[in-house]
Amino acid sequence: KNMKRISISITGVLRDITSKLITLNNKYNEREFEGELPDLDLVKHLEFDSEEDLINFMYVECPLQLFGYSNELEEGSFYNLNEFYKKFRDEYEIVLVSEEIEKSKPATLVFLAKHGSLIDRIEFYPLNKSDKVWDKTDIFVTSEELILNKKPSDKTSIKFKNKYNKDIKSDFTIKSIKNLSKLIDENK
């Protein structure tokens, strides 16, 4: 039986790497950034010299602390994700997707293990290439602008709303992973 596939982004839906990145940057690079980022220009706001320096810090210097030990985006994300999975696993192929390189891959597996994820399939994509997931998925749950903006017309986008993506178009919008089950039920 050919099941429809639901892809769910790990970062921005389940994992909050932004807060952790600020904490680690303040600690190791002796910065004093406080509060919330006005936008996602991390190089500028976190005072990195270049995009390359930021990527080096994230993926080479502290991938385990950043990707493995970030917090859930909201309390109970994985409880709700696992309930969603148990309810829909016989109707849909459910896949977690993430843009990872090098040691952020095992670090992401640590994050998923730490929070008790039950999802069978996890797929990693190179940086800035997760829009390629559209080739393999029918429904994509993400907060990422690049992915939402590249949606083919015959697919369904579900935006996980945050303060950085409110102006980005999507077919549906949710504010919490616990709203996903109801949304899928109502739109079968």
Side-chain angles (χ1 to χ4, degrees):
K1 179 181 148 190
N2 207 351
M3 292 196 279
K4 278 192 163 185
R5 177 168 165 162
I6 299 174
S7 296
I8 302 170
S9 291
I10 296 173
T11 296
V13 176
L14 301 167
R15 175 173 61 186
D16 174 15
I17 63 167
T18 314
S19 305
K20 191 67 164 184
L21 180 60
I22 291 169
T23 304
L24 293 171
N25 187 44
N26 286 347
K27 180 178 170 184
Y28 293 120
N29 296 329
E30 298 176 2
R31 302 285 192 260
E32 295 189 1
F33 186 89
E34 291 203 11
E36 293 207 7
L37 296 168
D39 56 52
L40 292 175
D41 187 346
L42 302 174
V43 175
K44 181 174 113 189
H45 301 303
L46 301 182
E47 300 174 49
F48 283 93
D49 292 332
S50 65
E51 180 83 15
E52 197 175 315
D53 281 349
L54 171 66
I55 287 171
N56 187 59
F57 182 73
M58 292 173 69
Y59 294 93
V60 179
E61 290 176 34
C62 51
L64 185 61
Q65 289 164 287
L66 179 60
F67 298 100
Y69 296 105
S70 284
N71 291 321
E72 290 179 287
L73 204 64
E74 53 179 354
E75 188 80 29
S77 288
F78 280 89
Y79 171 78
N80 291 311
L81 177 71
N82 289 337
E83 290 301 304
F84 174 81
Y85 171 72
K86 288 187 270 188
K87 180 175 177 179
F88 290 106
R89 66 183 163 200
D90 297 328
E91 293 174 68
Y92 294 92
E93 180 188 4
I94 300 167
V95 184
L96 294 179
V97 298
S98 196
E99 289 187 357
E100 307 292 349
I101 55 173
E102 306 284 330
K103 291 186 176 157
S104 74
K105 293 173 190 174
T108 294
L109 297 176
V110 166
F111 173 78
L112 296 174
K114 196 175 90 159
H115 291 288
S117 172
L118 301 179
I119 310 284
D120 298 321
R121 301 223 22 212
I122 300 150
E123 290 185 359
F124 296 130
Y125 287 82
L127 299 185
N128 303 315
K129 294 274 187 270
S130 55
D131 59 301
K132 302 280 179 261
V133 180
W134 281 119
D135 299 340
K136 293 197 220 171
T137 201
D138 301 290
I139 300 166
F140 209 143
V141 183
T142 187
S143 65
E144 294 176 49
E145 182 175 350
L146 173 72
I147 298 169
L148 292 166
N149 285 340
K150 295 218 172 162
K151 181 190 85 79
S153 59
D154 59 335
K155 310 281 177 127
T156 302
S157 61
I158 300 174
K159 176 172 66 177
F160 190 91
K161 190 175 178 194
N162 64 34
K163 65 182 224 172
Y164 308 113
N165 69 13
K166 50 185 178 290
D167 300 329
I168 310 299
K169 285 189 173 61
S170 61
D171 297 312
F172 300 99
T173 299
I174 57 173
K175 291 187 180 120
S176 168
I177 202 78
K178 64 177 175 265
N179 307 138
L180 186 57
S181 203
K182 184 172 180 249
L183 181 66
I184 296 295
D185 266 337
E186 289 171 355
N187 292 284
K188 281 183 183 167

